[in-house]
Amino acid sequence: MPPSDSASAPPPGPSAGHSASTIERGSFCLARCTCGWSGPARRSRDLARTDAAKHLATP
């Protein structure tokens, strides 16, 4: 019996082609992505990382 369509590989996740990182600029930290997106400047590194994670999670 041939495999059904449901057995095919899942589509790539929303972060396919995106790679976010954080950079520091003085006393601020901000998230940037290879797609050109840039998050707001934050004093908290954790918030900048959260911004990056939210960006990667959105389609």
Side-chain angles (χ1 to χ4, degrees):
M1 175 176 224
S4 66
D5 289 338
S6 63
S8 64
S15 63
H18 291 259
S19 177
S21 61
T22 57
I23 61 168
E24 293 190 24
R25 191 175 286 167
S27 60
F28 292 92
C29 186
L30 62 137
R32 284 219 171 144
C33 183
T34 54
C35 73
W37 172 85
S38 174
R42 307 277 194 177
R43 289 193 183 268
S44 167
R45 289 183 185 100
D46 280 342
L47 285 177
R49 284 191 288 266
T50 301
D51 291 340
K54 286 180 182 177
H55 169 69
L56 292 177
T58 56

